[in-house]
Amino acid sequence: MLKIANLKASYGKIRAVHEVSLEVGQGELVTLIGANGAGKSTTLKSIVGLVQEREGEIFFKGKNISQIAPHKALDAGIALVPEGRWIFPDITVEENLRLGAFYQSKNKVQELLAEQYALFPILRERRNQKGGTLSGGEQQMLAIGRALMSQPELLLLDEPSLGLAPILVNTVFQLIKQINQRGIAVLLVEQNSTMALGIADRGYVLELGRIVLAGASTELLDNKRVQSAYLGIA
Ligand code: ATP
């Protein structure tokens, strides 16, 4: 479904991604793990055209999207939930959700809202509250819900567990698994490698802008190098 070949991405003189090739199959849940600054966010942003200086090829459903503009990525069926969530703090939860589907018909928006409220009941309870008054975990759910309002076929998630209390981290990971089980492919960037590999089918390890390891999640969880560098197992 998504195929990235030899991606390179830079910010001026800084090359953040040197060599990334990866694939996400239809309905797959794939994780990209790596240390701070390894280039994980840059890889996700490159897919949706948010990094201007990029080389290499990106295909989505067989179509070359290497030069896609960010607003076209959503139309193509790819939604990014960026790190830090970027919800609108001064409008309500429901208005935030509606923004994810601004080009849909009124009936469709109602249907999509109902779907998100079924998936995230807390958002229904909070629907008239300002986005900025939500807790960190609720804001994360809102950001994911807003992305789902665009009915993506591929969801790109950048560090959804960042800054969440451990109990909420579990909830968010379970929700990601549920979303994937509905048939939406997911590329999940995470520093919480144990949890990410716990729900993913496959994983890639990114070090200093290069993919250094790839395999089934079970293989990576058993890999000594992964265990010592990313799972905190000596
Ligand atoms: P983290 O887990 O800390 O978010 P990451 O693996 O997602 O890290 P990136 O955010 O992709 O890493 O950053 C990769 C490299 O590119 C880092 O060295 C970072 O400082 C640099 N970088 C990222 N964004 C920019 C930018 N807008 N301008 C200049 N350099 C940047």
Side-chain angles (χ1 to χ4, degrees):
M1 179 175 231
L2 176 77
K3 188 172 163 86
I4 304 180
N6 306 313
L7 175 71
K8 297 177 177 53
S10 310
Y11 303 100
K13 290 201 175 100
I14 302 169
R15 170 144 297 179
V17 169
H18 291 268
E19 180 69 60
V20 166
S21 297
L22 64 78
E23 286 183 36
V24 180
Q26 183 113 32
E28 248 194 328
L29 203 175
V30 175
T31 185
L32 179 60
I33 60 175
N36 275 320
K40 305 182 297 298
S41 301
T42 304
T43 301
L44 289 192
K45 286 193 233 161
S46 298
I47 297 169
V48 294
L50 281 169
V51 180
Q52 262 169 11
E53 297 165 69
R54 55 189 196 273
E55 287 172 40
E57 294 196 313
I58 305 176
F59 289 90
F60 182 62
K61 296 200 296 181
K63 201 171 142 204
N64 190 333
I65 59 157
S66 310
Q67 295 308 321
I68 202 161
H71 65 282
K72 294 275 181 199
L74 211 57
D75 290 346
I78 307 174
L80 167 69
V81 179
E83 190 180 330
R85 296 150 207 162
W86 296 102
I87 61 147
F88 295 95
D90 298 325
I91 60 173
T92 68
V93 166
E94 185 151 312
E95 285 161 348
N96 266 279
L97 286 172
R98 284 177 185 281
L99 283 176
F102 61 89
Y103 54 84
Q104 303 275 11
S105 71
K106 219 171 162 187
N107 286 347
K108 189 73 200 171
V109 171
Q110 281 313 117
E111 188 187 309
L112 288 165
L113 276 174
E115 264 178 39
Q116 306 328 313
Y117 289 147
L119 189 60
F120 309 102
I122 189 75
L123 295 184
R124 187 197 297 277
E125 275 176 44
R126 303 271 191 267
R127 65 180 182 278
N128 296 320
Q129 207 168 302
K130 294 225 165 105
T133 65
L134 296 183
S135 72
E138 291 161 0
Q139 288 191 16
Q140 186 61 63
M141 291 177 205
L142 178 55
I144 296 173
R146 190 176 59 194
L148 292 176
M149 291 290 287
S150 70
Q151 297 185 286
E153 290 174 74
L154 172 64
L155 187 63
L156 309 176
L157 295 170
D158 198 353
E159 308 244 7
S161 79
L162 196 75
L164 298 188
I167 186 159
L168 271 178
V169 171
N170 213 9
T171 308
V172 166
F173 276 91
Q174 288 319 312
L175 284 167
I176 295 168
K177 187 81 196 166
Q178 271 184 41
I179 291 164
N180 173 247
Q181 282 165 346
R182 293 177 174 197
I184 300 173
V186 177
L187 179 56
L188 168 66
V189 155
E190 259 301 330
Q191 284 202 42
N192 192 334
S193 315
T194 311
M195 297 281 284
L197 289 170
I199 60 164
D201 303 308
R202 292 189 301 113
Y204 292 87
V205 179
L206 189 60
E207 280 178 11
L208 302 173
R210 289 189 167 83
I211 300 285
V212 294
L213 262 178
S217 295
T218 45
E219 280 166 30
L220 293 177
L221 283 165
D222 280 341
N223 183 291
K224 289 272 172 284
R225 179 169 169 188
V226 174
Q227 288 182 348
S228 66
Y230 301 103
L231 307 179
I233 302 170

